[in-house]
Amino acid sequence: YLEESLERRRLNNEVIELKGNIRVFCRCRPLNENEIANESAVSVVNFESASEELQVICSDSSKKQFKFDHVFKPEDNQEAVFAQTKSIVASVLDGYNVCIFAYGQTGTGKTFTMEGTPEHRGVNYRTLEELFRISEDRQGTMKYELLVSMLEVYNEKIKDLLAGNPSEATKKLEVKQAADGTQEVPGLVETRVYGADGVWEILKSGNRVRSVGSTSANELSSRSHCLVRVTVVGENLINGQRTKSHLWLVDLAGSERVGKTDAEGERLKESQFINKSLSALGDVIAALASKSAHIPY
Ligand code: ADP
Ligand code: MG
């Protein structure tokens, strides 16, 4: 049995690697009410028959063709998006690290995709639900412990969104590289979760903290990165082997560039931090994609 399950893990990981260790999906949201009401606003995307291609019509009517691992159309719902993400969940339970980012301008649907609403739950909740489902399937042979952390990065400062008391909330947090090469945030609150219902409550409470103190919650949330970290500790009940892996679910700050003329003071500082972090992220992904020896984490 151990040999077979090892083989399954190896094959699952190989399939993921063959599909590409880094996958880029594109999601186009439906036009909103304002856009529909405003007749000069028209859809500027054409969907080719292939689900990997997207054509963008530029202002001079020229067309640009883009290719992705998958393109989601406006009518594709949260289930359809998650269907493409699901296969990596088993790999987290097998001890591999996984990271999902939502990238795009403010208002394009990052938070809708990751968090979603109670009626249309997003990738974060669905992923955890799937983690619980698979861990239950394996309960005869594996024991899993799931812990959730939630943090916000605003102007390079880390805020613990699950901090329970004021001393935890004001603690200065930093990203540190651990001896095994992984990135750690010492002191970050980790909350053990036992089921999908508890997860929804935790994600909700984290989001409440995120918007406190800002006059316009959506404004601030679009200027900060929000990260949910799921730590999976696994124990093989047959041979005692232990694994620990992280799944990061990231709702990035808006990628729009603020025009030099209308940005000043706080707004300009925010933009500089966002641009710096997004370009650093670009460097990391480029290094990973080219399998470079040095990854500039
Ligand atoms: P972002 O986080 O990128 O700034 P949001 O996720 O807040 O954008 O989306 C902006 C608005 O569009 C929200 O009101 C959201 O509910 C809506 N929206 C985004 N994507 C979709 C979608 N695929 N289907 C329906 N509504 C969507
Ligand atoms: Mg958002």
Side-chain angles (χ1 to χ4, degrees):
Y1 172 78
L2 282 175
E3 269 168 31
E4 288 302 321
S5 61
L6 193 69
E7 181 66 1
R8 182 204 54 75
R9 273 214 299 273
R10 196 187 61 75
L11 289 172
N12 183 51
N13 195 51
E14 197 164 296
V15 168
I16 287 171
E17 274 183 14
L18 287 172
K19 281 191 176 173
N21 253 345
I22 300 174
R23 266 179 271 173
V24 184
F25 300 148
C26 172
R27 184 181 199 183
C28 299
R29 67 155 168 76
L31 291 180
N32 62 33
E33 279 170 22
N34 287 341
E35 288 160 345
I36 292 168
N38 175 358
E39 286 180 9
S40 62
V42 289
S43 173
V44 292
V45 285
N46 274 338
F47 300 98
E48 306 295 298
S49 47
S51 61
E52 291 90 25
E53 284 172 26
L54 176 75
Q55 197 177 57
V56 176
I57 306 147
C58 307
S59 50
D60 62 358
S61 309
S62 66
K63 288 171 182 160
K64 275 195 183 136
Q65 198 77 19
F66 293 92
K67 254 190 120 154
F68 296 92
D69 290 293
H70 193 93
V71 174
F72 299 106
K73 301 177 176 145
E75 62 269 28
D76 286 335
N77 60 14
Q78 304 285 62
E79 282 86 46
V81 172
F82 184 64
Q84 295 289 329
T85 324
K86 213 170 165 176
S87 63
I88 52 124
V89 174
S91 132
V92 181
L93 292 173
D94 288 341
Y96 297 97
N97 293 316
V98 171
C99 189
I100 303 176
F101 294 104
Y103 173 90
Q105 295 184 14
T106 300
T108 51
K110 297 181 297 298
T111 305
F112 182 81
T113 299
M114 299 307 285
E115 264 171 42
T117 60
E119 302 79 51
H120 305 282
R121 288 182 178 181
V123 168
N124 293 0
Y125 177 83
R126 288 170 197 269
T127 305
L128 276 143
E129 199 178 40
E130 182 70 4
L131 280 173
F132 284 116
R133 196 190 62 75
I134 303 179
S135 61
E136 231 158 77
D137 270 2
R138 296 186 185 173
Q139 70 182 321
T141 51
M142 289 293 298
K143 202 174 104 195
Y144 290 106
E145 209 173 283
L146 269 61
L147 303 120
V148 173
S149 300
M150 206 172 165
L151 55 140
E152 178 181 57
V153 180
Y154 175 70
N155 287 356
E156 291 192 356
K157 282 196 205 66
I158 300 174
K159 181 176 176 189
D160 192 337
L161 297 180
L162 299 185
N165 54 53
S167 78
E168 274 176 357
T170 51
K171 197 166 48 192
K172 199 164 171 286
L173 294 169
E174 277 178 77
V175 182
K176 293 257 162 69
Q177 183 146 337
D180 61 359
T182 59
Q183 323 300 314
E184 275 301 327
V185 185
L188 191 65
V189 171
E190 286 189 299
T191 306
R192 173 97 190 257
V193 285
Y194 299 90
D197 296 338
V199 167
W200 184 252
E201 288 307 312
I202 288 171
L203 297 180
K204 240 179 26 197
S205 79
N207 279 317
R208 268 199 299 274
V209 179
R210 194 183 178 192
S211 46
V212 162
S214 89
T215 41
S216 159
N218 197 38
E219 225 0 58
L220 180 62
S221 78
S222 71
R223 317 300 293 159
S224 67
H225 309 294
C226 181
L227 301 88
V228 175
R229 183 183 75 179
V230 185
T231 305
V232 177
V233 181
E235 187 189 340
N236 187 313
L237 297 173
I238 299 166
N239 65 5
Q241 207 174 52
R242 291 176 74 92
T243 57
K244 183 177 172 185
S245 49
H246 287 313
L247 164 69
W248 287 92
L249 301 157
V250 186
D251 184 356
L252 289 168
S255 64
E256 60 275 9
R257 291 190 178 252
V258 176
K260 281 204 171 65
T261 46
D262 54 40
E264 47 185 280
E266 208 48 30
R267 205 64 210 275
L268 180 63
K269 200 170 99 189
E270 283 177 349
S271 302
Q272 285 166 340
F273 279 125
I274 293 170
N275 291 345
K276 192 172 146 199
S277 58
L278 292 179
S279 78
L281 177 62
D283 293 342
V284 167
I285 292 176
L288 287 170
S290 63
K291 301 202 181 335
S292 152
H294 173 69
I295 314 293
Y297 287 114

mmCIF file of all heavy atoms in Angstrom, residues 211-242:
data_model
loop_
_atom_site.group_PDB
_atom_site.id
_atom_site.type_symbol
_atom_site.label_atom_id
_atom_site.label_comp_id
_atom_site.label_asym_id
_atom_site.label_seq_id
_atom_site.Cartn_x
_atom_site.Cartn_y
_atom_site.Cartn_z
ATOM 1 N N SER A 211 -10.708 46.054 6.941
ATOM 2 C CA SER A 211 -11.301 47.321 6.520
ATOM 3 C C SER A 211 -11.421 48.340 7.653
ATOM 4 O O SER A 211 -11.690 49.497 7.406
ATOM 5 C CB SER A 211 -12.667 47.081 5.884
ATOM 6 O OG SER A 211 -13.404 46.202 6.674
ATOM 7 N N VAL A 212 -11.200 47.903 8.895
ATOM 8 C CA VAL A 212 -11.323 48.838 10.026
ATOM 9 C C VAL A 212 -10.320 49.984 9.887
ATOM 10 O O VAL A 212 -9.189 49.804 9.468
ATOM 11 C CB VAL A 212 -11.091 48.100 11.360
ATOM 12 C CG1 VAL A 212 -10.768 49.062 12.492
ATOM 13 C CG2 VAL A 212 -12.303 47.275 11.704
ATOM 14 N N GLY A 213 -10.756 51.169 10.244
ATOM 15 C CA GLY A 213 -9.831 52.306 10.261
ATOM 16 C C GLY A 213 -9.744 53.034 8.943
ATOM 17 O O GLY A 213 -9.127 54.075 8.850
ATOM 18 N N SER A 214 -10.382 52.501 7.929
ATOM 19 C CA SER A 214 -10.314 53.228 6.663
ATOM 20 C C SER A 214 -11.691 53.792 6.363
ATOM 21 O O SER A 214 -12.712 53.160 6.618
ATOM 22 C CB SER A 214 -9.864 52.300 5.547
ATOM 23 O OG SER A 214 -10.969 51.683 4.968
ATOM 24 N N THR A 215 -11.744 54.985 5.845
ATOM 25 C CA THR A 215 -13.036 55.597 5.567
ATOM 26 C C THR A 215 -13.710 54.877 4.411
ATOM 27 O O THR A 215 -14.907 54.720 4.374
ATOM 28 C CB THR A 215 -12.863 57.084 5.203
ATOM 29 O OG1 THR A 215 -11.727 57.193 4.355
ATOM 30 C CG2 THR A 215 -12.654 57.913 6.448
ATOM 31 N N SER A 216 -12.911 54.423 3.479
ATOM 32 C CA SER A 216 -13.471 53.692 2.350
ATOM 33 C C SER A 216 -12.768 52.345 2.253
ATOM 34 O O SER A 216 -11.641 52.250 1.794
ATOM 35 C CB SER A 216 -13.285 54.502 1.072
ATOM 36 O OG SER A 216 -13.372 53.647 -0.030
ATOM 37 N N ALA A 217 -13.465 51.323 2.721
ATOM 38 C CA ALA A 217 -12.853 49.996 2.833
ATOM 39 C C ALA A 217 -12.311 49.500 1.502
ATOM 40 O O ALA A 217 -11.202 48.986 1.416
ATOM 41 C CB ALA A 217 -13.870 49.014 3.376
ATOM 42 N N ASN A 218 -13.080 49.674 0.465
ATOM 43 C CA ASN A 218 -12.668 49.146 -0.824
ATOM 44 C C ASN A 218 -11.423 49.860 -1.346
ATOM 45 O O ASN A 218 -10.549 49.250 -1.950
ATOM 46 C CB ASN A 218 -13.803 49.277 -1.834
ATOM 47 C CG ASN A 218 -13.556 48.394 -3.024
ATOM 48 O OD1 ASN A 218 -13.054 47.283 -2.872
ATOM 49 N ND2 ASN A 218 -13.873 48.887 -4.201
ATOM 50 N N GLU A 219 -11.344 51.143 -1.036
ATOM 51 C CA GLU A 219 -10.181 51.939 -1.403
ATOM 52 C C GLU A 219 -8.910 51.330 -0.814
ATOM 53 O O GLU A 219 -7.968 51.033 -1.520
ATOM 54 C CB GLU A 219 -10.389 53.333 -0.805
ATOM 55 C CG GLU A 219 -10.123 54.552 -1.628
ATOM 56 C CD GLU A 219 -9.654 54.363 -3.047
ATOM 57 O OE1 GLU A 219 -10.329 53.726 -3.877
ATOM 58 O OE2 GLU A 219 -8.578 54.899 -3.331
ATOM 59 N N LEU A 220 -8.924 51.124 0.516
ATOM 60 C CA LEU A 220 -7.717 50.617 1.175
ATOM 61 C C LEU A 220 -7.422 49.194 0.716
ATOM 62 O O LEU A 220 -6.280 48.840 0.469
ATOM 63 C CB LEU A 220 -7.861 50.676 2.705
ATOM 64 C CG LEU A 220 -6.647 50.160 3.466
ATOM 65 C CD1 LEU A 220 -5.419 51.010 3.158
ATOM 66 C CD2 LEU A 220 -6.900 50.130 4.969
ATOM 67 N N SER A 221 -8.483 48.373 0.585
ATOM 68 C CA SER A 221 -8.228 46.976 0.253
ATOM 69 C C SER A 221 -7.592 46.865 -1.129
ATOM 70 O O SER A 221 -6.854 45.938 -1.409
ATOM 71 C CB SER A 221 -9.511 46.157 0.328
ATOM 72 O OG SER A 221 -10.291 46.377 -0.809
ATOM 73 N N SER A 222 -7.850 47.842 -1.989
ATOM 74 C CA SER A 222 -7.256 47.737 -3.316
ATOM 75 C C SER A 222 -5.804 48.202 -3.318
ATOM 76 O O SER A 222 -5.092 48.039 -4.291
ATOM 77 C CB SER A 222 -8.074 48.547 -4.321
ATOM 78 O OG SER A 222 -7.883 49.921 -4.086
ATOM 79 N N ARG A 223 -5.354 48.799 -2.199
ATOM 80 C CA ARG A 223 -3.983 49.288 -2.107
ATOM 81 C C ARG A 223 -3.101 48.357 -1.285
ATOM 82 O O ARG A 223 -1.960 48.682 -0.983
ATOM 83 C CB ARG A 223 -3.932 50.696 -1.479
ATOM 84 C CG ARG A 223 -4.967 51.671 -1.967
ATOM 85 C CD ARG A 223 -4.912 51.957 -3.441
ATOM 86 N NE ARG A 223 -3.695 52.661 -3.832
ATOM 87 C CZ ARG A 223 -3.230 52.674 -5.089
ATOM 88 N NH1 ARG A 223 -3.859 52.014 -6.036
ATOM 89 N NH2 ARG A 223 -2.147 53.344 -5.368
ATOM 90 N N SER A 224 -3.644 47.248 -0.841
ATOM 91 C CA SER A 224 -2.841 46.328 -0.033
ATOM 92 C C SER A 224 -2.957 44.912 -0.588
ATOM 93 O O SER A 224 -3.886 44.588 -1.316
ATOM 94 C CB SER A 224 -3.322 46.362 1.422
ATOM 95 O OG SER A 224 -4.622 45.820 1.507
ATOM 96 N N HIS A 225 -1.985 44.090 -0.231
ATOM 97 C CA HIS A 225 -2.036 42.679 -0.603
ATOM 98 C C HIS A 225 -2.660 41.912 0.561
ATOM 99 O O HIS A 225 -2.311 42.161 1.708
ATOM 100 C CB HIS A 225 -0.632 42.116 -0.829
ATOM 101 C CG HIS A 225 0.228 42.933 -1.751
ATOM 102 N ND1 HIS A 225 -0.062 43.090 -3.084
ATOM 103 C CD2 HIS A 225 1.364 43.633 -1.531
ATOM 104 C CE1 HIS A 225 0.876 43.855 -3.649
ATOM 105 N NE2 HIS A 225 1.745 44.203 -2.723
ATOM 106 N N CYS A 226 -3.564 41.001 0.264
ATOM 107 C CA CYS A 226 -4.158 40.195 1.332
ATOM 108 C C CYS A 226 -3.758 38.740 1.112
ATOM 109 O O CYS A 226 -3.944 38.193 0.030
ATOM 110 C CB CYS A 226 -5.674 40.343 1.311
ATOM 111 S SG CYS A 226 -6.472 39.406 2.608
ATOM 112 N N LEU A 227 -3.167 38.133 2.140
ATOM 113 C CA LEU A 227 -2.660 36.772 1.997
ATOM 114 C C LEU A 227 -3.285 35.830 3.022
ATOM 115 O O LEU A 227 -3.307 36.129 4.217
ATOM 116 C CB LEU A 227 -1.134 36.734 2.190
ATOM 117 C CG LEU A 227 -0.267 37.583 1.257
ATOM 118 C CD1 LEU A 227 -0.097 38.993 1.805
ATOM 119 C CD2 LEU A 227 1.110 36.955 1.109
ATOM 120 N N VAL A 228 -3.792 34.725 2.540
ATOM 121 C CA VAL A 228 -4.286 33.667 3.425
ATOM 122 C C VAL A 228 -3.295 32.522 3.312
ATOM 123 O O VAL A 228 -2.942 32.107 2.205
ATOM 124 C CB VAL A 228 -5.691 33.182 2.995
ATOM 125 C CG1 VAL A 228 -6.130 31.995 3.841
ATOM 126 C CG2 VAL A 228 -6.702 34.311 3.082
ATOM 127 N N ARG A 229 -2.802 32.065 4.455
ATOM 128 C CA ARG A 229 -1.863 30.946 4.424
ATOM 129 C C ARG A 229 -2.478 29.739 5.121
ATOM 130 O O ARG A 229 -2.918 29.836 6.251
ATOM 131 C CB ARG A 229 -0.561 31.311 5.129
ATOM 132 C CG ARG A 229 0.464 30.185 5.038
ATOM 133 C CD ARG A 229 1.722 30.508 5.800
ATOM 134 N NE ARG A 229 1.515 30.370 7.231
ATOM 135 C CZ ARG A 229 2.478 30.583 8.146
ATOM 136 N NH1 ARG A 229 3.666 30.964 7.767
ATOM 137 N NH2 ARG A 229 2.221 30.427 9.421
ATOM 138 N N VAL A 230 -2.501 28.625 4.423
ATOM 139 C CA VAL A 230 -2.986 27.394 5.023
ATOM 140 C C VAL A 230 -1.778 26.490 5.235
ATOM 141 O O VAL A 230 -1.049 26.195 4.296
ATOM 142 C CB VAL A 230 -4.007 26.683 4.105
ATOM 143 C CG1 VAL A 230 -4.582 25.460 4.799
ATOM 144 C CG2 VAL A 230 -5.106 27.636 3.675
ATOM 145 N N THR A 231 -1.572 26.101 6.469
ATOM 146 C CA THR A 231 -0.466 25.194 6.768
ATOM 147 C C THR A 231 -1.047 23.799 6.934
ATOM 148 O O THR A 231 -2.009 23.608 7.671
ATOM 149 C CB THR A 231 0.248 25.622 8.064
ATOM 150 O OG1 THR A 231 0.652 26.988 7.912
ATOM 151 C CG2 THR A 231 1.466 24.759 8.343
ATOM 152 N N VAL A 232 -0.480 22.862 6.218
ATOM 153 C CA VAL A 232 -0.957 21.486 6.297
ATOM 154 C C VAL A 232 0.139 20.633 6.928
ATOM 155 O O VAL A 232 1.254 20.549 6.413
ATOM 156 C CB VAL A 232 -1.288 20.934 4.892
ATOM 157 C CG1 VAL A 232 -1.709 19.472 4.982
ATOM 158 C CG2 VAL A 232 -2.369 21.768 4.229
ATOM 159 N N VAL A 233 -0.183 20.052 8.080
ATOM 160 C CA VAL A 233 0.760 19.144 8.722
ATOM 161 C C VAL A 233 0.174 17.747 8.570
ATOM 162 O O VAL A 233 -0.949 17.486 9.000
ATOM 163 C CB VAL A 233 0.946 19.497 10.216
ATOM 164 C CG1 VAL A 233 1.952 18.563 10.867
ATOM 165 C CG2 VAL A 233 1.379 20.947 10.362
ATOM 166 N N GLY A 234 0.907 16.889 7.904
ATOM 167 C CA GLY A 234 0.400 15.547 7.636
ATOM 168 C C GLY A 234 1.217 14.491 8.356
ATOM 169 O O GLY A 234 2.422 14.653 8.545
ATOM 170 N N GLU A 235 0.526 13.431 8.795
ATOM 171 C CA GLU A 235 1.256 12.313 9.395
ATOM 172 C C GLU A 235 0.735 11.025 8.800
ATOM 173 O O GLU A 235 -0.466 10.759 8.816
ATOM 174 C CB GLU A 235 1.067 12.317 10.915
ATOM 175 C CG GLU A 235 1.935 11.273 11.583
ATOM 176 C CD GLU A 235 1.612 11.081 13.072
ATOM 177 O OE1 GLU A 235 1.008 11.990 13.679
ATOM 178 O OE2 GLU A 235 1.954 10.012 13.585
ATOM 179 N N ASN A 236 1.665 10.259 8.264
ATOM 180 C CA ASN A 236 1.301 8.968 7.702
ATOM 181 C C ASN A 236 1.142 7.976 8.855
ATOM 182 O O ASN A 236 2.081 7.718 9.606
ATOM 183 C CB ASN A 236 2.400 8.517 6.741
ATOM 184 C CG ASN A 236 2.025 7.274 5.987
ATOM 185 O OD1 ASN A 236 1.553 6.303 6.573
ATOM 186 N ND2 ASN A 236 2.234 7.298 4.684
ATOM 187 N N LEU A 237 -0.083 7.434 9.010
ATOM 188 C CA LEU A 237 -0.364 6.588 10.171
ATOM 189 C C LEU A 237 0.288 5.219 10.045
ATOM 190 O O LEU A 237 0.362 4.473 11.011
ATOM 191 C CB LEU A 237 -1.877 6.437 10.344
ATOM 192 C CG LEU A 237 -2.642 7.732 10.638
ATOM 193 C CD1 LEU A 237 -4.141 7.492 10.630
ATOM 194 C CD2 LEU A 237 -2.203 8.340 11.975
ATOM 195 N N ILE A 238 0.762 4.875 8.856
ATOM 196 C CA ILE A 238 1.372 3.563 8.672
ATOM 197 C C ILE A 238 2.871 3.596 8.944
ATOM 198 O O ILE A 238 3.389 2.779 9.695
ATOM 199 C CB ILE A 238 1.073 3.028 7.251
ATOM 200 C CG1 ILE A 238 -0.451 2.897 7.088
ATOM 201 C CG2 ILE A 238 1.737 1.673 7.032
ATOM 202 C CD1 ILE A 238 -0.904 2.711 5.674
ATOM 203 N N ASN A 239 3.554 4.590 8.372
ATOM 204 C CA ASN A 239 5.009 4.613 8.597
ATOM 205 C C ASN A 239 5.492 5.806 9.423
ATOM 206 O O ASN A 239 6.684 5.986 9.625
ATOM 207 C CB ASN A 239 5.761 4.548 7.256
ATOM 208 C CG ASN A 239 5.495 5.783 6.400
ATOM 209 O OD1 ASN A 239 4.822 6.717 6.843
ATOM 210 N ND2 ASN A 239 6.011 5.780 5.200
ATOM 211 N N GLY A 240 4.545 6.634 9.881
ATOM 212 C CA GLY A 240 4.915 7.737 10.769
ATOM 213 C C GLY A 240 5.545 8.936 10.077
ATOM 214 O O GLY A 240 5.883 9.919 10.731
ATOM 215 N N GLN A 241 5.682 8.856 8.756
ATOM 216 C CA GLN A 241 6.308 9.965 8.034
ATOM 217 C C GLN A 241 5.482 11.251 8.147
ATOM 218 O O GLN A 241 4.269 11.216 8.042
ATOM 219 C CB GLN A 241 6.407 9.566 6.562
ATOM 220 C CG GLN A 241 7.547 10.237 5.834
ATOM 221 C CD GLN A 241 7.661 9.669 4.426
ATOM 222 O OE1 GLN A 241 6.671 9.623 3.688
ATOM 223 N NE2 GLN A 241 8.848 9.242 4.059
ATOM 224 N N ARG A 242 6.187 12.366 8.371
ATOM 225 C CA ARG A 242 5.479 13.642 8.542
ATOM 226 C C ARG A 242 5.808 14.621 7.428
ATOM 227 O O ARG A 242 6.927 14.654 6.934
ATOM 228 C CB ARG A 242 5.850 14.264 9.890
ATOM 229 C CG ARG A 242 5.302 13.483 11.076
ATOM 230 C CD ARG A 242 5.788 14.091 12.373
ATOM 231 N NE ARG A 242 5.083 15.358 12.655
ATOM 232 C CZ ARG A 242 3.981 15.434 13.383
ATOM 233 N NH1 ARG A 242 3.441 14.354 13.900
ATOM 234 N NH2 ARG A 242 3.417 16.601 13.602
#
